[in-house]
Amino acid sequence: MTGAGNDAMDVDAVDVTAAATGAERGAPGIAGAGPAGEGGGSRAGGDLDRRVLPLVVRIERSAPPERTDALEAAALAVLALLDDPRALDGGEWAEAVGAWDGSRFRKVVRRARGAEWRRVLDLPGVTVTSGTAEVRVHPPVPLDGWPRDLSRLQVSGTELADSREPGPPGDVVLWLNPGLTMSAGKAMAQAGHAVQLAWQASGDEARRAWRDKGLAVSVRTAGPAAWAGLVASGLPVVRDAGFTEIEPGSRTVVADVPWLRGAAGR
């Protein structure tokens, strides 16, 4: 297979998602979303035309980023792409982003350092920084059509740790499931899914207010009791397709967004 490779974290996709109203949206299964033999489906037919969002995290040997910073940078990168003028109607990325954003969206997190990172910066995309982390997001690419400088990057080796407890979260919080163990790369993709659901569920006025605050977003792990309440709240919930690391249908992240809480309660 060309491009996406066969690493465990290669294709990360949302299976079923819950909108702010609590009603589930999206299709209940994805056949063949990963490499041959992964996910139990065939990659024949229209699946070859599906797109995936490349996210590249900078991990230098001497100074790896903090885990929470990397998760927040990934979420911010997804927002930056969705809000970029090039991704909007008439923009050069609009067709690719629209096709990807309107389907069962997928994300792949890869790592780069040194010359690899410099080559990544020469490709179309947006770079964001959050604390110690730098993440570059690129327009969605076909599953089998990765640019060479992205396809050659490693998917494995993105495990990161926090050297200290993260501080208090801000207004918009992506709460991770405390009962799941995910690698940093997997969690970054899940945070990206959650923030994308929050963006989709937000109206123009809410998006403007969020934009005025720099699209700020925090990522934290919920307590067990709090997690149960969050899942039942009707806020956007990510349910993973289960191609890598965790069981299909696992609820991984809840997007706790202030302006969606009222809609969730109706």
Side-chain angles (χ1 to χ4, degrees):
M1 174 181 170
T2 302
N6 291 297
D7 290 279
M9 288 190 301
D10 183 57
V11 176
D12 197 279
V14 168
D15 182 3
V16 181
T17 61
T21 60
E24 292 191 334
R25 56 187 296 275
I30 307 175
E38 183 175 301
S42 166
R43 299 183 65 252
D47 193 69
L48 291 174
D49 298 325
R50 296 189 187 279
R51 292 181 178 265
V52 60
L53 186 76
L55 291 158
V56 181
V57 56
R58 184 180 184 183
I59 304 181
E60 300 290 347
R61 287 190 180 92
S62 60
E66 298 281 304
R67 179 185 173 98
T68 296
D69 288 348
L71 269 59
E72 292 177 349
L76 184 57
V78 171
L79 286 174
L81 177 88
L82 293 171
D83 198 40
D84 193 289
R86 290 168 289 184
L88 306 180
D89 288 346
E92 60 190 282
W93 300 344
E95 183 177 354
V97 172
W100 164 77
D101 188 40
S103 66
R104 290 162 286 182
F105 38 84
R106 306 168 185 186
K107 299 173 182 68
V108 172
V109 178
R110 296 179 182 264
R111 62 177 171 85
R113 62 170 61 98
E116 295 173 332
W117 178 254
R118 291 190 291 273
R119 285 193 293 269
V120 162
L121 296 179
D122 289 335
L123 298 173
V126 181
T127 302
V128 303
T129 301
S130 180
T132 60
E134 288 181 85
V135 170
R136 187 162 178 85
V137 59
H138 302 271
V141 298
L143 198 59
D144 279 351
W146 284 67
R148 186 177 178 213
D149 284 336
L150 291 179
S151 68
R152 64 201 299 179
L153 298 176
Q154 294 295 311
V155 181
S156 59
T158 56
E159 190 49 70
L160 301 168
D162 284 323
S163 61
R164 59 189 180 279
E165 285 293 318
D171 292 337
V172 176
V173 189
L174 309 179
W175 293 106
L176 301 174
N177 184 340
L180 295 176
T181 299
M182 296 184 284
S183 65
K186 178 77 172 180
M188 287 172 67
Q190 298 294 310
H193 295 335
V195 84
Q196 187 171 353
L197 295 181
W199 185 258
Q200 289 176 341
S202 299
D204 291 341
E205 185 176 344
R207 290 180 179 180
R208 280 193 297 270
W210 199 357
R211 193 180 297 119
D212 289 344
K213 294 183 178 180
L215 299 175
V217 59
S218 303
V219 181
R220 298 291 187 270
T221 300
W227 175 253
L230 287 163
V231 168
S233 69
L235 289 164
V237 179
V238 177
R239 288 182 61 184
D240 188 58
F243 295 115
T244 60
E245 298 194 27
I246 57 179
E247 292 296 318
S250 297
R251 292 175 173 85
T252 58
V253 190
V254 173
D256 186 4
V257 182
W259 54 88
L260 297 180
R261 290 176 192 151
R266 287 202 295 267

